[in-house]
Amino acid sequence: MIIGVPKEIKKDEYRVAITPAGARELTSAGHMVHVEQGAGEGSSIPDAEYVATGAKIVPDADEVWAGADMVLKVKEPVGPEYHRLSLKKDQVLFTYLHLAASRECTDALAAAGNVAIAYETVRLPDNSLPLLTPMSEVAGRMAPIVASHHLMRFAGGRGTLVCGVPGVEAAKVVILGAGVAGMAAATLAVGLHSSVYILDRNLERLRQVDHHFRGALETIASSTHAIEQQCADADIVIGAVLVVGARAPKLVPDDLVAGMRPGSVLVDISIDQGGCFESSRPTTHSDPTFKVHESLFYCVANMPGAVPHSSTYALANATRPYTLELANQGWRDAVKADAPLAEGVNVVDGKITYRPVAEAHGMEYADLDSLN
Ligand SMILES: NC(=O)c1ccc[n+]([C@@H]2O[C@H](COP(=O)([O-])OP(=O)(O)OC[C@H]3O[C@@H](n4cnc5c(N)ncnc54)[C@H](O)[C@@H]3O)[C@@H](O)[C@H]2O)c1
């Protein structure tokens, strides 16, 4: 099979869908890998590293798409890429798609008549999303870092050193949500020697967190009362809650922020689901913060975009086994053998095979089994 990896062209996207390790596994298995010239540049992976694995560098994007049996990408195709979707018949596209949010992209993929498999809908039996998890881990680990930076005076914060110094207390960090991002944030916050309090409404989850950290942080059952109490004297609040398929619940109202310490920093990781603080609105890396009362809000919707090198490796590590299955077995046999991967199939030959996408756009849903 020929696997094509184009350079991402969506604005501010610097990740690439394959690392040299992934290219090497594919070439070792007898496949050919065509990487667009400069595709890895944004992630600090030079073309030469791909060439060393047996991959071929292709100068032109159209050529990559036209020659590939499977295209690996990071982001959903954007307008200038739509004509490329039908350059090769029976092609498989494996990438983040988020089709429920874009009728335009759904129509473009349906019109192309090929196969589109979405990273974000691959789902394991325990309901976890293995190809979204790495990005929650990146955002979670980044949160205490960006918050500590903004806690500094020149960055608009209270002027507190997150870890304290002998004789002076460390910052108090409150984390709302003990899922993937919340746990990642807690790991870094504990590592930074801050005083960490993590809240979740799932007590079983808090038991696991308590066991994992062995006393290095406090777990607290989430309630309106507990959130008010914990945020009142916090230096940093990190919002990391998720209710699957719904907007994030607004857990931190404005009047609570009004009573918080001046210069405190609130990082809303959940901003991509609408945000869990009342006044949250999406921001960008070039202008990441704004003031609410006397506190600083950081609400970047694409936090992993700041660290494309790490994010590329984290994502590609997770996609690699699925990519190999698809390449070795072909998509039909691969999804027959791997039910979680089958959940990723969103579009086949013009038909929508992922029910939430069909429902979101009032389109007809086709059961994948009926197409096999
Ligand atoms: N901003 C970014 O760049 C970025 C990057 C990656 C992920 N995210 C977002 O981060 C959020 C968290 O993702 P995740 O993978 O950690 O989710 P997750 O499902 O692993 O964890 C969410 C946790 O929130 C808890 N929760 C839900 N409602 C709650 C409530 N009312 N009070 C207290 N706890 C509550 C759940 O019990 C769960 O433990 C998601 O919205 C995700 O889309 C953002």
Side-chain angles (χ1 to χ4, degrees):
M1 187 183 271
I2 298 179
I3 292 103
V5 184
K7 185 177 171 132
E8 295 299 320
I9 59 170
K10 190 170 177 177
K11 191 172 180 303
D12 291 337
E13 182 54 66
Y14 297 105
R15 288 172 293 178
V16 59
I18 202 167
T19 59
R24 182 165 165 184
E25 280 193 17
L26 287 166
T27 54
S28 303
H31 304 291
M32 289 169 75
V33 179
H34 290 180
V35 179
E36 186 181 343
Q37 192 169 28
E41 254 167 30
S43 295
S44 307
I45 307 175
D47 288 346
E49 284 196 34
Y50 292 112
V51 172
T53 70
K56 181 178 157 195
I57 299 300
V58 176
D60 178 61
D62 279 353
E63 209 183 312
V64 172
W65 283 82
D69 301 299
M70 174 161 67
V71 170
L72 299 182
K73 271 179 57 60
V74 176
K75 297 304 279 188
E76 73 283 357
V78 290
E81 289 173 318
Y82 288 168
H83 76 277
R84 295 177 181 146
L85 298 174
S86 52
L87 290 178
K88 170 99 192 215
K89 202 168 152 26
D90 295 329
Q91 186 175 68
V92 173
L93 172 64
F94 191 34
T95 186
Y96 283 125
L97 286 173
H98 297 288
L99 292 185
S102 171
R103 176 68 194 240
E104 190 188 279
C105 187
T106 306
D107 286 342
L109 287 166
N114 283 329
V115 179
I117 306 178
Y119 292 161
E120 73 277 4
T121 65
V122 174
R123 182 188 292 267
L124 296 176
D126 66 358
N127 274 333
S128 62
L129 305 169
L131 304 186
L132 271 185
T133 296
M135 294 305 103
S136 289
E137 288 170 336
V138 171
R141 288 193 175 209
M142 276 180 71
I145 297 174
V146 296
S148 316
H149 167 78
H150 285 100
L151 209 49
M152 293 183 197
R153 190 77 195 170
F154 68 87
R158 185 171 159 75
T160 302
L161 182 60
V162 69
C163 51
V165 278
V168 183
E169 65 188 359
K172 174 176 178 180
V173 179
V174 174
I175 301 169
L176 306 176
V180 177
M183 276 294 275
T187 301
L188 252 280
V190 166
L192 286 168
H193 294 223
S194 53
S195 304
V196 185
Y197 297 73
I198 191 163
L199 291 78
D200 202 293
R201 59 181 184 174
N202 179 341
L203 293 184
E204 194 45 46
R205 189 71 191 143
L206 290 182
R207 276 190 195 99
Q208 293 163 359
V209 176
D210 180 68
H211 182 73
H212 177 83
F213 283 100
R214 295 175 188 278
L217 50 62
E218 300 290 338
T219 59
I220 294 170
S222 189
S223 65
T224 304
H225 188 70
I227 291 171
E228 278 173 9
Q229 276 193 323
Q230 294 306 323
C231 289
D233 62 349
D235 297 290
I236 292 172
V237 177
I238 295 170
V241 295
L242 174 67
V243 178
V244 177
R247 281 181 76 80
K250 297 287 180 198
L251 300 181
V252 179
D254 253 3
D255 56 357
L256 176 54
V257 179
M260 285 180 64
R261 289 176 163 171
S264 52
V265 177
L266 292 88
V267 177
D268 199 343
I269 302 178
S270 304
I271 189 65
D272 62 340
Q273 302 292 334
C276 62
F277 312 145
E278 186 180 350
S279 286
S280 291
R281 57 173 163 80
T283 58
T284 59
H285 287 295
S286 52
D287 190 12
T289 59
F290 57 94
K291 255 180 113 174
V292 177
H293 298 291
E294 295 303 313
S295 296
L296 209 55
F297 275 36
Y298 174 104
C299 303
V300 175
N302 171 29
M303 293 175 70
V307 288
H309 181 76
S310 306
S311 300
T312 281
Y313 279 86
L315 176 61
N317 286 344
T319 57
R320 193 154 66 231
Y322 296 103
T323 303
L324 209 58
E325 280 174 30
L326 289 165
N328 287 346
Q329 302 171 44
W331 79 270
R332 283 181 194 278
D333 286 344
V335 304
K336 265 187 205 142
D338 186 338
L341 180 59
E343 293 233 28
V345 182
N346 277 224
V347 186
V348 176
D349 197 13
K351 308 207 170 51
I352 309 302
T353 54
Y354 190 67
R355 195 183 289 279
V357 171
E359 284 173 0
H361 301 308
M363 296 169 86
E364 197 181 330
Y365 163 74
D367 189 81
L368 187 57
D369 292 334
S370 71
L371 302 177
N372 272 335

